[in-house]
Amino acid sequence: MVPLSVLDLVTVREGDSVARSLDITVDTAKAAEANGFKRYWVAEHHGMAGIAGGATSVVLAHIGNATSTIRIGAGGIMLPNHTPYVIAEQFGTLSAMFPGRVDLGLGRAAGADGRLANALRKDIVSASERFPQDVVELRARFAGQAVGGVESPQASGADAEMWILGSSLFGAQLAAMLGLPYAFASHFALTHLDEAARIYRERFEPSEFCEKPYFMAAINTMAAETEEEAWYLSSSTDQSFVALRTGNPGKLQPPLPNYREGLPGPARAMLEQMRGVAAVGTPDQVRAGLEAFVARTQADELILSASTFDPAAQIRSLELIAGALD
């Protein structure tokens, strides 16, 4: 099996606080490290009551202080929300704190409507168009170059590993052109998965950062002692996905038995489509699902995404998956 990593949205559960969510994230990261997972990534989201990872670099510092060997990183930083200079400082500082352990995944989609863009004081459309140039600027600052005559002392020489993230073909093309590793968000965007992987590999240009293509794909997972229990636990994620796609996002809800069966046809069809990139069930079933996904994508690494209402069940899922693949 290829290396496995973990994607954490720093989920806020119904009735819980941001502080409690951060405690759960630290416990989960420590469990991931103890069970041999390669990376622990946090995703940047803003203005959502159910996700507490918006201050991504701060959350990563919290995780880094609680762990010692697992790589920690952003999966990702939505670069249009920021200036490259500030991200260079933040991740240069993280690299100084946790040498050899920091990843910087960069995404182009701002995930912001007009109100949030105003709160961020950003022209999101213009910033998104500058994404390739901003990635190049970041790389230059890590290399110690004074871009525009301005140095970034905290970033100079930082060993943060840069990635391009994507859910379309654009990111695949950019990662290939720049010779960077590429991660595809197949846990929520399936349409372009196979084509993006093909384009990335075919057009890849070796660089000092990456000699050959390195492709990571995301997949939704949940393991439990029985298949029925695993699907029951994953219904919390199902509820969040439906709430988000219907314009009513909120905190993570307790699991519901037979949740999918009670949904209207369109919502049920949407979740059934998501099962195309999921490995849910007993440890053996999850292992088979992961192996099939690797066979399909030829991924060099998988990153597992899963949230359930009971933090202990979430950690237990990671333990069962690691045990099944040991």
Side-chain angles (χ1 to χ4, degrees):
M1 175 55 66
V2 299
L4 301 181
S5 296
V6 177
L7 175 63
D8 186 356
L9 301 183
V10 195
T11 304
V12 183
R13 292 155 174 84
E14 186 64 50
D16 267 353
S17 64
V18 169
R20 171 63 178 151
S21 299
L22 293 170
D23 289 342
I24 293 170
T25 283
V26 163
D27 290 342
T28 309
K30 291 165 70 174
E33 180 176 76
N35 284 278
F37 288 86
K38 185 173 183 177
R39 311 173 199 272
Y40 199 90
W41 280 10
V42 173
E44 175 192 345
H45 293 83
H46 298 288
M48 300 179 71
I51 299 179
T56 311
S57 59
V58 179
V59 176
L60 290 177
H62 187 48
I63 296 169
N65 280 320
T67 55
S68 58
T69 58
I70 195 169
R71 295 191 67 90
I72 58 173
I77 288 291
M78 300 298 105
L79 196 51
N81 294 339
H82 313 276
T83 66
Y85 188 91
V86 168
I87 297 302
E89 284 191 325
Q90 291 178 1
F91 279 79
T93 302
L94 284 170
S95 297
M97 296 169 66
F98 312 108
R101 295 180 57 200
V102 175
D103 299 327
L104 172 54
L106 299 166
R108 183 180 63 148
D113 60 17
R115 293 169 299 175
L116 184 53
N118 184 61
L120 292 168
R121 303 291 195 273
K122 292 283 289 183
D123 180 346
I124 297 299
V125 174
S126 175
S128 296
E129 292 173 350
R130 281 192 51 82
F131 179 68
Q133 296 96 314
D134 286 349
V135 173
V136 171
E137 178 183 332
L138 262 175
R139 189 158 69 173
R141 293 196 179 281
F142 287 139
Q145 298 177 27
V147 181
V150 180
E151 295 184 348
S152 310
Q154 296 89 343
S156 181
D159 63 1
E161 185 173 284
M162 290 180 62
W163 289 66
I164 298 297
L165 311 184
S167 57
S168 68
L169 304 183
F170 178 88
Q173 296 169 20
L174 181 62
M177 181 179 68
L178 297 179
L180 293 174
Y182 177 55
F184 192 85
S186 37
H187 62 304
F188 70 82
L190 314 181
T191 308
H192 300 294
L193 168 62
D194 301 301
E195 183 70 1
R198 182 189 64 79
I199 288 175
Y200 172 63
R201 294 189 181 103
E202 288 182 354
R203 301 186 185 181
F204 184 84
E205 299 180 15
S207 71
E208 61 181 297
F209 310 100
C210 201
E211 295 182 354
K212 60 182 182 179
Y214 193 90
F215 178 65
M216 179 161 67
I219 181 171
N220 295 298
T221 59
M222 182 58 64
E225 303 295 342
T226 66
E227 181 180 8
E228 181 181 14
E229 181 186 6
W231 283 111
Y232 171 69
L233 293 172
S234 69
S235 68
S236 291
T237 298
D238 290 344
Q239 292 176 69
S240 291
F241 186 76
V242 170
L244 179 64
R245 289 298 177 93
T246 55
N248 189 34
K251 294 185 176 182
L252 189 70
Q253 298 299 308
L256 294 172
N258 304 316
Y259 170 70
R260 296 185 182 220
E261 286 72 10
L263 288 172
R268 188 165 62 252
M270 180 172 58
L271 288 179
E272 288 298 327
Q273 184 185 32
M274 293 303 298
R275 287 191 182 187
V277 182
V280 177
T282 65
D284 286 343
Q285 288 173 321
V286 171
R287 173 175 181 154
L290 296 179
E291 289 175 341
F293 191 55
V294 171
R296 168 186 171 179
T297 61
Q298 296 299 297
D300 301 289
E301 186 174 336
L302 299 183
I303 188 163
L304 314 185
S305 174
S307 296
T308 193
F309 194 76
D310 181 0
Q314 186 166 309
I315 289 174
R316 180 59 177 157
S317 175
L318 294 179
E319 293 171 343
L320 290 172
I321 291 170
L325 295 169
D326 189 7

